Structures are given as C-alpha cells and as structure tokens.
Amino acid sequence: MPPSFAYFCLMHISTTTWKWLLIGAGLALLLMMLAYPFGYDQAAFMVGGEMTVKHGAIPYRDFLDTKPPIIFLIYGFSSIIFGHHEWSIRAFDVLFHIVTLFYFFKILKRTLADENLALFTVFLYALIYSAGGYWMTAQAESFALLPSLIVFDCTERALNNKRLLALGIYAGLASAILFLLKFTFLTVPIGACLYILFQSKNVKRIPWKYLLGMIIGFTILTGGYLEYLIATHTFTRFIESLEWLKGYAAIDPLFSSHTIGELYFKQFPLRLVGAFSLSGIVLAAIGMMKFFQDRSKRSDTSDTNEHSPLLHLFFQLMLGLIAVLYERKFFPYHFSRTYWAFVPFIAVCLSGMKTMLSNYSVRWRMISVSSRLLRCLAVFLLCATLVFYSTAARIISQPAHWMYMRLSGGDVAADVQSKMEQYYYKEEQQLANHLRPVMKADDKIFVWGNSIGIYYFLEKYPTTIVLTNTPLITEWTPQSWKDTLIHQLNTNPPRFFIAESGDDREYITGTKLDSWQNLNQWDSLRDFVKVQYDLKDSLGHFRIFEHKSF
C-alpha cells in the first residue's frame, strides 16, 4: 500500500464517515459480548447477587465470599432489570460501557483538546475489553471504570476550578465505591492525590479543599457501610473475612524468594503481555516516549509543572500495575483495571503516524520503483506483525466465536468445558436438568464445591453461608465459620447434597485437595453426609447424595 494512500486515509479520519465507522465498530464489539457464557466468577456473582437483591440476603451474614458487596449488587440489579438469563449481566455490561465510554470520550475531548484522539482511545478500549473474553469481562475491574473516571475527571477539574470541596466529595464517593468493589482499587484516589502533589510547585498551590472533600466523601459512604454492618450484626464476620484475606495473601509472601523470582520476574511480564498484547505494549511505550519528549521540549519555554492529563494517566497506569503486582495472581482481568490509563498512549502513538506518513509520502515519488516495492513489503510485514501480536486477533477467538456459536445453535456449554480446565460448565447444566424433574418447589440443594452455577440453573439458592466452599477449606478458616455451616446443615438439611471433585484451587486455598477430598478430611461434615444421606447417582465430577428421609 503506497504511504500516500495510507496518509490519505489517516488524514480523513476526522470526517463524519470515519467517526461513525469507529463508533459502529466499537458498538458491534460490545454487543457481541451478549453471546458470552458464564465463567466461574460470573456464576458466583450472579448467585450471590440474586440472593442479595431478589431474596434479601446479606453478604457476610447469609453467604461468604472474598469480594466486597457492590459486585453482587450489580449482578442482582442486572437480573432484576433483564431477568434470570445468562445474558442479563452482559446486557448490563454493554449498556454500562456505552455510557461510560461516552463519558470517557467527553473527558478526553475536553482535557486533551483532540476529538480524534479521544474517539480512537474509547474505540481501543472497547476493542481490548471485549476481546478479553467471557471470563475476563463483567468482573469487578470492569465496573471500576466509571468511578475511576469520576475520580480522574474531578481531579482534572479541581486543578482549574473553584468548586474544590464539592468536586472532592464527588471524588471521595467514587473512591468509596471503588473500595467496596475491591479493596486494592484505592490506588485510583491515591494516584490522583500523588498527581496533584506532583503538579503543585509549593504548598500554597495544593488544592487542600479538594483533598478534604475526598476524605469527607470517602468517609460518608464507607462509614455508612460500616454502620450497616453493625446494624445487621455482620461487622464481626466482615473483620474475620479481612483476616481470611490476609491468609489468602500469605500463600505467596510479598517478598519471598519464590514470589520475587517466579511471580514478579517471570509470571508478571508474561501475563502483562498476555493482557495488553505485545503490539499494545510496544505502541503504548512509543506513545509514552513521544509524550515525555514533547513535555521535555516544552519545559524549556514553559512551566515544567504544567497541567497534563496524560501525566495523570501515567500515574494511574503505574499504580494500577503495582496493585496487580501486590495481588500476585495476574489473571488478565486483574490488568483490565488499567486499560483506561493504558489505551490513550496507544492512541498518542498512532496519531503520530499522521505526521510520519505525511513526511514520507512527499518523498515517495522521489524513489525508484524497486525501492517502493521493498518499502511496501516492509510496511506490510510490519503492519501484519503488529496486528498478529495485538488484541485484535482475539476478536476471532472470543466475541466472534461465541456469537457464531449462539447464532449457529452450537453447544456453547460443551465448548466452554472443553476449553477451560476445572470448569465443568456442561456438567452443571446436565446436573440441573437431571434434578429438576424430581425436585419439588420447596426442595433445597447444597453444593460442596466451586460449581455453583448449579444453583443458578436450578434457581435454588444456598441456605447456608457457603456460596463456594473456598473460604471454608483453608488452614486459616475461622472455626466459627465451620461451626456455623454444620449447625445450618443439621438444622435445615437440604434434600440433595452435591459434592464436587477435580476442582482444587491451590492458588486460592493453599491446598491441592479438591472438594471431595476436603469433605473426607473434615470429620463433622463427612459424618453429617454419612449418617443422613445416601449416594444416589454420579454425573461427571459430581456425586449426588439424597437425604434418607426422601
């Protein structure tokens, strides 16, 4: 492709046609997420969410999970709005991102004064996010985008606005929402504060009213939640859950030789490339270099501390990656908290191609035909390599694949199970179909394992504190949790007790034992099943016990 042609295309990207093409492509990618099936996390959030919103359950009192409560509220409300469907949370996710990315576009257009850069940034976000796949979307990190942008927007406005206290309160409320989505999301307000301090030449320029407002807003919401915990008699169990998380974090100590050598210097870079793609990292790095070079040149003639939204985004990106390092799990969705701070630098890099192609196209007619062919070949190979090693390649394996499976009537559940180790999605549905005909309206089930999609497909919800059994099978599990479970089972024994095997999660529980092995090592639970239940059937990785009274 002659560079003059590519230059012509890029120079006309600001036309209405190109804008609508980007908007249409971004919307199409987001809408394809409606075809995504549940992952293990999505099933857990939906069961907990429907228990909370539809049936009045209270997290920490009626069920235990390692996540704070807001993610369950989001899933529960999506079920209220769209109904009991797997696509309900996807529809909510799509609408959420359409609205939030429009807000992101407006922020970038105002702060960067570049409409094309803003539009391309939100398109890139839609591309990278939707291509993450069914498991990595609709996570807590996904819904952190809006409160993160509110903090970013309020901070940018505070540097040019007199309504500092009000803006600070808004940012503080958004920070509290982040905290109640996931505790490590507090890096966003921390990054905003550090950026403000870095941008200020002296103490007199620091917007203290804004920082005070952030503290007030954060305190109002988190304080209200603590009052709610006390009022519902769940404060003690909330504190116990924080202690449980400390044990979870201690599986890989922060500065052990294994953590440093294996996790920080081996797994983290590999997972970083997997989440951002090699091309994305290279282009973002070039964009950062371009930004800092331009900033350095301007510092010779202007204020070195000039207001810079891209510098704020750089702070947020670095702190977000530090938070991922701290969590030490490195699933792709962990990195998605930083997408919004990452993609603008890719857009900065690509926008620089206009100038490069402009200069190059002038010299195009001055070189020989053979040189043109060689350069065309080089440019083609470079572009092909960038596309091949980019997130764009995942469009085929994720949104396009699952949309095709839905439209063609393929067996989505079987496809999921064949691709995902230790996730028995097809068997969950088969088990639900097996039990549904013999169950009465008031019959209950208990799932001892991780495949709690069984609850969802049967529309039968836990009557004990066990959502998944993960919090109950660790060495650091509070004894009171175990005692509560045994008491609840004996008080109101379910008709069916379902025990899962082959579902060990050593990276979470610190043990290689699966649920069935853990059951047989827990004397009280093993005896409860042995005395009150008979083994009726087995299906795949599930043993089905029925209470002897039936």
Side-chain angles (χ1 to χ4, degrees):
M1 177 190 297
S4 56
F5 178 74
Y7 171 65
F8 175 83
C9 294
L10 286 173
M11 286 303 292
H12 288 75
I13 200 170
S14 61
T15 63
T16 302
T17 301
W18 275 103
K19 288 179 181 179
W20 282 110
L21 282 173
L22 283 179
I23 293 171
L27 287 173
L29 287 169
L30 291 174
L31 287 170
M32 281 193 279
M33 295 194 304
L34 291 171
Y36 283 170
F38 271 172
Y40 159 76
D41 294 324
Q42 287 77 15
F45 296 150
M46 185 58 82
V47 172
E50 290 190 341
M51 288 176 64
T52 301
V53 177
K54 289 185 174 182
H55 302 284
I58 296 176
Y60 301 115
R61 186 193 71 183
D62 299 315
F63 67 88
L64 293 170
D65 192 81
T66 58
K67 290 286 195 302
I70 287 185
I71 189 64
F72 298 105
L73 295 177
I74 291 172
Y75 270 74
F77 281 119
S78 75
S79 184
I80 288 287
I81 296 169
F82 298 107
H84 184 80
H85 310 288
E86 286 186 79
W87 55 262
S88 295
I89 187 59
R90 305 300 182 180
F92 184 90
D93 195 17
V94 170
L95 292 175
F96 172 87
H97 274 88
I98 289 174
V99 173
T100 305
L101 289 178
F102 178 73
Y103 176 47
F104 194 18
F105 167 77
K106 299 293 285 186
I107 295 171
L108 293 177
K109 181 182 176 181
R110 185 188 75 246
T111 58
L112 300 178
D114 190 331
E115 185 178 45
N116 291 335
L117 185 63
L119 181 60
F120 202 60
T121 295
V122 297
F123 166 74
L124 287 171
Y125 186 100
L127 169 66
I128 293 176
Y129 178 72
S130 61
Y134 70 95
W135 201 300
M136 306 307 162
T137 49
Q139 294 276 358
E141 284 78 0
S142 307
F143 302 110
L145 176 61
L146 180 56
S148 296
L149 291 178
I150 291 173
V151 174
F152 175 76
D153 188 22
C154 290
T155 302
E156 292 299 315
R157 290 178 183 274
L159 294 175
N160 299 293
N161 199 297
K162 294 181 180 180
R163 298 173 59 244
L164 298 181
L165 187 62
L167 287 170
I169 291 174
Y170 297 149
L173 292 171
S175 300
I177 292 172
L178 286 168
F179 178 72
L180 295 176
L181 265 171
K182 198 172 187 180
F183 301 131
T184 55
F185 290 163
L186 278 181
T187 54
V188 174
I190 291 172
C193 293
L194 291 177
Y195 168 68
I196 287 174
L197 296 175
F198 185 84
Q199 287 290 91
S200 302
K201 277 186 173 181
N202 49 60
V203 175
K204 293 181 180 179
R205 291 190 59 190
I206 296 177
W208 292 111
K209 285 186 178 180
Y210 177 72
L211 299 178
L212 176 62
M214 288 184 71
I215 295 173
I216 293 173
F218 183 82
T219 303
I220 289 173
L221 194 52
T222 54
Y225 180 64
L226 290 177
E227 287 290 337
Y228 171 77
L229 290 173
I230 294 171
T232 55
H233 308 289
T234 54
F235 181 76
T236 299
R237 191 167 285 168
F238 172 72
I239 297 300
E240 290 175 339
S241 72
L242 296 181
E243 292 294 324
W244 189 93
L245 286 173
K246 286 175 60 178
Y248 168 54
I251 293 176
D252 296 304
L254 200 58
F255 297 113
S256 69
S257 58
H258 169 77
T259 301
I260 295 172
E262 179 67 20
L263 300 185
Y264 295 158
F265 288 97
K266 183 178 178 181
Q267 289 192 26
F268 178 76
L270 292 174
R271 299 289 179 87
L272 180 68
V273 172
F276 289 161
S277 81
L278 182 60
S279 296
I281 291 174
V282 170
L283 293 176
I286 295 172
M288 290 176 194
M289 290 175 59
K290 183 178 184 302
F291 162 69
F292 282 110
Q293 285 175 353
D294 293 344
R295 181 179 171 83
S296 178
K297 290 177 183 178
R298 290 195 303 270
S299 68
D300 295 335
T301 57
S302 62
D303 184 3
T304 57
N305 280 328
E306 65 177 13
H307 179 40
S308 175
L310 285 174
L311 183 63
H312 188 178
L313 290 169
F314 181 78
F315 270 71
Q316 294 292 355
L317 176 59
M318 293 300 105
L319 283 176
L321 292 177
I322 289 173
V324 175
L325 273 170
Y326 174 77
E327 289 184 359
R328 305 186 290 286
K329 299 306 174 187
F330 310 149
F331 291 120
Y333 68 81
H334 288 129
F335 293 92
S336 66
R337 76 180 69 195
T338 61
Y339 284 169
W340 66 280
F342 175 75
V343 291
F345 291 103
I346 300 179
V348 168
C349 172
L350 295 178
S351 67
M353 289 184 177
K354 286 185 179 181
T355 304
M356 179 188 72
L357 288 173
S358 176
N359 297 332
Y360 188 51
S361 64
V362 172
R363 300 192 300 271
W364 179 255
R365 296 188 280 286
M366 301 173 60
I367 61 177
S368 65
V369 174
S370 60
S371 297
R372 291 183 187 183
L373 291 175
L374 288 174
R375 293 188 182 189
C376 279
L377 179 61
V379 170
F380 173 78
L381 290 175
L382 175 61
C383 292
T385 302
L386 287 175
V387 171
F388 182 79
Y389 288 105
S390 73
T391 305
R394 293 195 205 122
I395 294 174
I396 298 173
S397 65
Q398 290 302 320
H401 171 75
W402 297 114
M403 180 60 71
Y404 170 77
M405 289 291 293
R406 297 289 189 187
L407 295 177
S408 65
D411 193 337
V412 173
D415 195 34
V416 169
Q417 185 163 321
S418 68
K419 288 180 169 64
M420 185 58 64
E421 185 179 0
Q422 292 186 315
Y423 180 41
Y424 311 118
Y425 185 56
K426 179 66 174 180
E427 293 176 14
E428 288 180 5
Q429 297 183 14
Q430 290 174 333
L431 181 56
N433 292 334
H434 176 71
L435 292 180
R436 191 178 295 111
V438 300
M439 293 190 70
K440 299 177 183 178
D442 57 348
D443 286 343
K444 300 298 181 183
I445 66 168
F446 176 84
V447 179
W448 178 251
N450 289 288
S451 294
I452 61 170
I454 298 168
Y455 288 120
Y456 179 80
F457 294 121
L458 281 171
E459 293 189 64
K460 300 284 188 179
Y461 298 95
T463 56
T464 71
I465 61 171
V466 173
L467 192 57
T468 70
N469 65 3
T470 298
L472 274 292
I473 62 176
T474 64
E475 292 183 356
W476 57 90
T477 298
Q479 185 60 41
S480 61
W481 293 3
K482 294 184 175 183
D483 294 340
T484 298
L485 172 61
I486 298 300
H487 173 73
Q488 290 174 330
L489 288 173
N490 279 298
T491 302
N492 186 22
R495 177 177 176 180
F496 291 103
F497 186 107
I498 301 166
E500 186 174 3
S501 61
D503 64 334
D504 52 292
R505 304 282 195 273
E506 185 180 6
Y507 57 91
I508 299 177
T509 63
T511 175
K512 295 181 179 179
L513 302 180
D514 64 14
S515 294
W516 177 246
Q517 292 167 326
N518 272 292
L519 185 152
N520 284 286
Q521 287 203 349
W522 185 355
D523 294 342
S524 299
L525 186 60
R526 183 193 62 223
D527 293 343
F528 166 78
V529 175
K530 184 177 180 180
V531 171
Q532 299 197 39
Y533 288 83
D534 291 322
L535 178 62
K536 286 296 183 181
D537 206 350
S538 293
L539 195 158
H541 293 81
F542 301 99
R543 291 175 173 85
I544 305 171
F545 295 87
E546 186 174 17
H547 199 271
K548 292 180 179 180
S549 62
F550 290 89

